[in-house]
Amino acid sequence: MANDLLSAMRQSIIDGAPETASTLAQQALTNGLAPIDAINNGYVPGMHEVGEHFARGQMFLPDMMASAEAMRAAMAVIDPELRKLGTERPMAGVVVLGTTKGDIHEIGKILVGTLLTAHGFQVHDLGVDVAGERFAAKVREVKADIVGVSALLTTTMRNQKGVLEALEKAGLRSQVKVMVGGAPVTKRWADEIGADGYAPNAISAVALAQELMKDKLQDVTVQL
Ligand code: B12
C-alpha cells in the first residue's frame, strides 16, 4: 500500500502533475506516512529520474519545469507538517541559506531549510541567485552561526567559493561556519574551497549543522 503510494508520488513528479502530487501528499499525511519519507522515498526519486531523462535528451526544459511545479505543490502540503516539529524545540542556531549567484534551483535548498527549521534552527532563506555580498550582509544583520550555500550546476559551484571570499572580505569568516551542498557538490570540493562541511541531503544537512554548532561552541571556549 505504502509502496503504491510512493510509486504514484514518484510518477506525479515525472508527469509534472501538481494536482496529483498535492492530493497524494494529503493522502500520505492522512495515512500516517512520515512527511520526510514521502519526500525522500516518493517525490525526490521522481526528481532524480526527471534529471536523468533530461540529461539523455528524453525530456526538455518545459517538462523539467512542470516537474518542479509538481514538487512544489507536494511540498506546500508537507512543509507545514515538518515545520510544526520545530516550534516544540529549543533554538538550535541561526542559519542563513541561499542558492549561489547564477543558479535558480531552489527545491533542495528549501527542503534543507524546512528540515533545519523542524529541528529548531532559525532559518533566513535568501532565495536563489544570491551573490556572496548578500550572504555576508545577512550574516552580519542576523548574527548567523551558519551559512548554507546550495549550487546545482557545475558552473555555479565555483560561486560557493565566492561566498567564502565575500565572508572573508567582510571580516566575518571566523564568526560563521559554512556548509555547502547541491547535487554536483562533494566533500572533496567542500575541502578544496575551505568550507566547514558538506552534506549530500537534507537529513544529513541537519546532522552537519548540529555538529557545526558544537564546533562553534568549542571555538568560543578555546578563545576564552
Ligand atoms: C528541477 C530542476 C530544474 C528546475 C528548477 C526549479 C526550481 N524552482 O528549483 C528548472 C526547470 C528551473 C531547471 C533549470 C535548469 N537546469 Co535543472 N534540474 C532540475 C532537476 C531535475 C532536479 C533538481 C531538484 O530539485 N532535485 C530535488 C532536490 C530535493 O534535490 P537537490 O536539489 O539535489 O537537493 C538535495 C541535496 O543536493 C542537498 N542540498 C541541496 N542544497 C543544499 C545546500 C546545503 C547547504 C546542504 C548542506 C545540502 C544541500 O539536500 C537537498 C535535499 O535532500 C536536476 C536534476 C538533478 N538530479 O539534480 C536538474 C539539473 C540540476 N539541471 C540542469 C540544467 C542543465 C539546468 C539548466 C541549465 C537547463 C537549461 N538548459 O536552461 C537550467 C539552469 C537554470 C539556472 N540558471 O539555474 C542539470 C545540471 C547539469 C550540471 N552538471 O551542471 C541537471 C543535473 C539535469 C541534468 N541531468 O542535466 N532545473
Side-chain angles (χ1 to χ4, degrees):
M1 180 63 192
N3 277 347
D4 288 351
L5 192 57
L6 292 173
S7 135
M9 285 168 166
R10 183 183 129 272
Q11 195 58 44
S12 71
I13 299 296
I14 298 168
D15 294 343
E19 273 179 36
T20 313
S22 166
T23 308
L24 290 168
Q26 268 146 4
Q27 216 171 305
L29 296 180
T30 313
N31 290 1
L33 187 69
I36 193 63
D37 286 342
I39 296 273
N40 278 348
N41 304 326
Y43 299 109
V44 168
M47 226 48 207
H48 284 153
E49 212 166 314
V50 168
E52 280 160 26
H53 288 315
F54 180 79
R56 278 190 244 122
Q58 294 160 340
M59 259 182 155
F60 302 98
L61 196 56
D63 306 314
M64 204 153 67
M65 286 168 84
S67 296
E69 223 25 76
M71 184 78 188
R72 266 209 290 260
M75 277 164 69
V77 176
I78 290 174
D79 248 30
E81 288 307 309
L82 282 171
R83 279 174 196 275
K84 262 187 214 161
L85 303 168
T87 54
E88 293 155 15
R89 296 171 194 256
M91 221 278 274
V94 180
V95 182
V96 168
L97 199 60
T99 303
T100 56
K101 195 167 169 47
D103 197 326
I104 60 164
H105 293 86
E106 63 179 353
I107 294 167
K109 168 194 61 80
I110 290 175
L111 206 50
V112 169
T114 301
L115 278 208
L116 286 172
T117 306
H119 286 81
F121 285 88
Q122 184 191 101
V123 177
H124 299 268
D125 189 339
L126 297 176
V128 297
D129 188 21
V130 184
E133 294 71 23
R134 271 190 63 210
F135 276 99
K138 196 69 185 178
V139 165
R140 195 185 295 284
E141 181 197 325
V142 300
K143 297 188 175 57
D145 299 301
I146 298 174
V147 175
V149 193
S150 182
L152 262 286
L153 301 171
T154 41
T155 47
T156 57
M157 257 168 75
R158 69 176 74 114
N159 297 335
Q160 292 181 321
K161 188 161 184 250
V163 176
L164 285 153
E165 286 164 357
L167 289 169
E168 191 74 57
K169 206 169 153 199
L172 295 164
R173 181 65 187 98
S174 61
Q175 299 166 35
V176 75
K177 298 286 176 189
V178 178
M179 59 181 192
V180 291
V185 179
T186 58
K187 161 94 172 60
R188 193 170 161 189
W189 171 250
D191 291 344
E192 199 179 314
I193 62 172
D196 299 301
Y198 153 78
N201 56 54
I203 294 177
S204 51
V206 172
L208 172 62
Q210 288 165 337
E211 204 52 47
L212 292 176
M213 285 307 292
K214 277 193 213 148
D215 292 352
K216 209 177 167 226
L217 214 63
Q218 218 161 37
D219 291 352
V220 174
T221 319
V222 169
Q223 274 167 26
L224 285 176

